[in-house]
Amino acid sequence: MGKLVDGVWHDVWYDTKSTRGHFERAASQFRNWITPDGAPGPTGEGGFAAEAGRYHLYVSLACPWAHRTLIFRKLKKLEDLIPVSVVDPVMLSNGWEFKRPGEGVDGGTVDPLFGAETLWKVYLKADPHYSGRVTVPVLWDRKESRMVSNESAEIIRMFNSAFDGITGSRDDYYPASLRAEIDALNETIYDTVNNGVYKAGFATTQEAYEKNVWALFETLDALEERLAGRRYLTGDSITEADWRLFTTLVRFDAVYVGHFKCNIRRIADYPNLSGYLRDLYQVPGVAETVNIDHIKTHYYRSHLTINPTGIVPAGPELDFAAPHDRERLLAA
């Protein structure tokens, strides 16, 4: 995981010395919005109208942040409107890489827009002097040859509603009546769970690790209790908050328990959370977005400061298709 500094690639890991062993995630820098008519969104510039075939999505099947966008692309019927490219699961000195024509790189695709070998070269197409981390997802405007956004939380909001007039999909995962509750859930879950596993796993002092791993499990315990009396986080309907939590939960026992030392309990040890995870996984189309081989390969072979041998563990055995019995919690 390197970064660009004024357009020059540097293979450098995160600096935790200045933060007393704590991992701090940098904010995404490309924050434009697609809207139905191209009007300006909450951040960034206007001019990005919802159009079929105009936009391209770059993702990693291993990355939980990119996974959110794949789920919304699937559920909101955007697959024919927004093509996708997948980077290789192994991320080493060149960062995220694409498959090169004729080469047997693990599971990635060729970059169809620029023929780039690495994602950082796509970033330079957006800003030749860019400084920062090179992350997925990336939503690219083919018409204007500009990056729309590299912020997953905002991309899923765009996918949720901007293209409804084209697709006819009216499923709303951010309904106005629940937005305050969803936003409050997102804030806690992002800090202590979605990013919390990274803050524990990338910690370089015992104090930083313990602070974040206990905060993670305090939230998981609270979510277990919350889900005892409701099928989903806000009640009987699935919202954005559920999908944001899902992408961490589905990786948890396979990666975060061992690789990130988040091992106080497994998701399998939580009856409500584990059933909830299976319930979401079994929503039509969602299983197709989950690639456990990519997930395990990425974390165990890419983070050599944590796993120097690069050995990928054989287990655990996971059965997300098992019955979940969550329907019993639907309101009468």
Side-chain angles (χ1 to χ4, degrees), residues 7-119:
V8 178
W9 179 255
H10 296 265
D11 179 23
V12 290
W13 190 244
Y14 296 102
D15 174 22
T16 57
K17 291 182 179 179
S18 61
T19 56
R20 298 184 178 182
H22 289 271
F23 164 70
E24 294 185 354
R25 186 178 300 277
S28 301
Q29 296 187 42
F30 294 90
R31 307 288 289 274
N32 303 302
W33 283 69
I34 299 170
T35 58
D37 59 359
T43 59
E45 303 174 8
F48 299 95
E51 299 174 16
R54 175 171 174 174
Y55 302 98
H56 192 89
L57 184 64
Y58 291 100
V59 301
S60 162
L61 301 183
C63 171
W65 318 102
H67 191 182
R68 301 171 172 183
T69 66
L70 288 175
I71 290 172
F72 274 73
R73 177 176 174 267
K74 171 71 72 172
L75 297 179
K76 294 295 295 184
K77 302 177 182 174
L78 295 171
E79 292 174 295
D80 292 336
L81 276 66
I82 304 175
V84 66
S85 294
V86 180
V87 293
D88 188 88
V90 179
M91 180 185 64
L92 297 172
S93 60
N94 282 320
W96 294 116
E97 295 186 79
F98 297 101
K99 179 179 179 180
R100 297 174 179 82
E103 290 190 6
V105 181
D106 295 337
T109 60
V110 174
D111 171 29
L113 300 189
F114 308 107
E117 298 171 345
T118 63
L119 188 62

Side-chain angles (χ1 to χ4, degrees), residues 167-188:
T167 65
S169 172
R170 297 302 178 200
D171 293 336
D172 186 2
Y173 297 100
Y174 191 55
S177 62
L178 294 174
R179 286 181 184 177
E181 186 176 7
I182 291 170
D183 290 345
L185 284 163
N186 286 347
E187 183 177 2
T188 298

